[in-house]
């Protein structure tokens, strides 16, 4: 049985070392970009719904399934994204 990972397994530098100002700006920029992309993605799906509904002759309930399925798919994809990094750290 594997032993649980401890906090020290994830440290790559001294705990007292802080990110520089330049690194902090990059982190902020990437965070804003990622959340903006998620917002734009959801907006595009919602804007496309009326035309999709008309061309597929779907009901409102069918379109709700489309939106919920899309959200569940993206959520499941996003939650597993960090797993490869954790596996690499555990194996190293």
């Amino acid at each position: 049985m594997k032993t649980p990972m401890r906090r020290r397994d994830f440290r790559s530098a001294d705990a007292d070392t802080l990110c520089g100002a330049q690194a902090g700006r990059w982190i902020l920029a990437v965070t804003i970009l990622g959340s903006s992309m998620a917002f734009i993605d959801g907006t595009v799906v919602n804007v496309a719904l009326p035309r999709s509904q008309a061309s597929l002759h779907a009901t409102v309930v069918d379109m709700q399934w489309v939106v919920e399925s899309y959200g569940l798919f993206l959520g499941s994809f996003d939650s597993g994204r960090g797993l490869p990094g954790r596996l690499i750290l555990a194996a190293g």
Side-chain angles (χ1 to χ4, degrees), residues 11-27:
R11 289 191 183 147
S12 61
D14 186 19
D16 296 331
T17 305
L18 298 175
C19 293
Q22 190 66 19
R25 288 187 184 115
W26 277 107
I27 292 169

Side-chain angles (χ1 to χ4, degrees), residues 3-68:
T3 60
M5 297 179 107
R6 289 176 292 285
R7 179 175 225 141
R8 67 174 173 79
D9 295 335
F10 293 101
R11 289 191 183 147
S12 61
D14 186 19
D16 296 331
T17 305
L18 298 175
C19 293
Q22 190 66 19
R25 288 187 184 115
W26 277 107
I27 292 169
L28 180 63
V30 169
T31 303
I32 291 171
L33 181 66
S35 60
S36 298
M37 292 301 292
F39 175 75
I40 291 170
D41 194 34
T43 302
V44 168
V45 170
N46 285 317
V47 167
L49 282 177
R51 186 167 226 166
S52 300
Q53 183 178 10
S55 66
L56 297 172
H57 306 291
T59 64
V60 173
V61 174
D62 295 334
M63 290 295 103
Q64 286 176 337
W65 272 101
V66 168
V67 171
E68 295 302 322

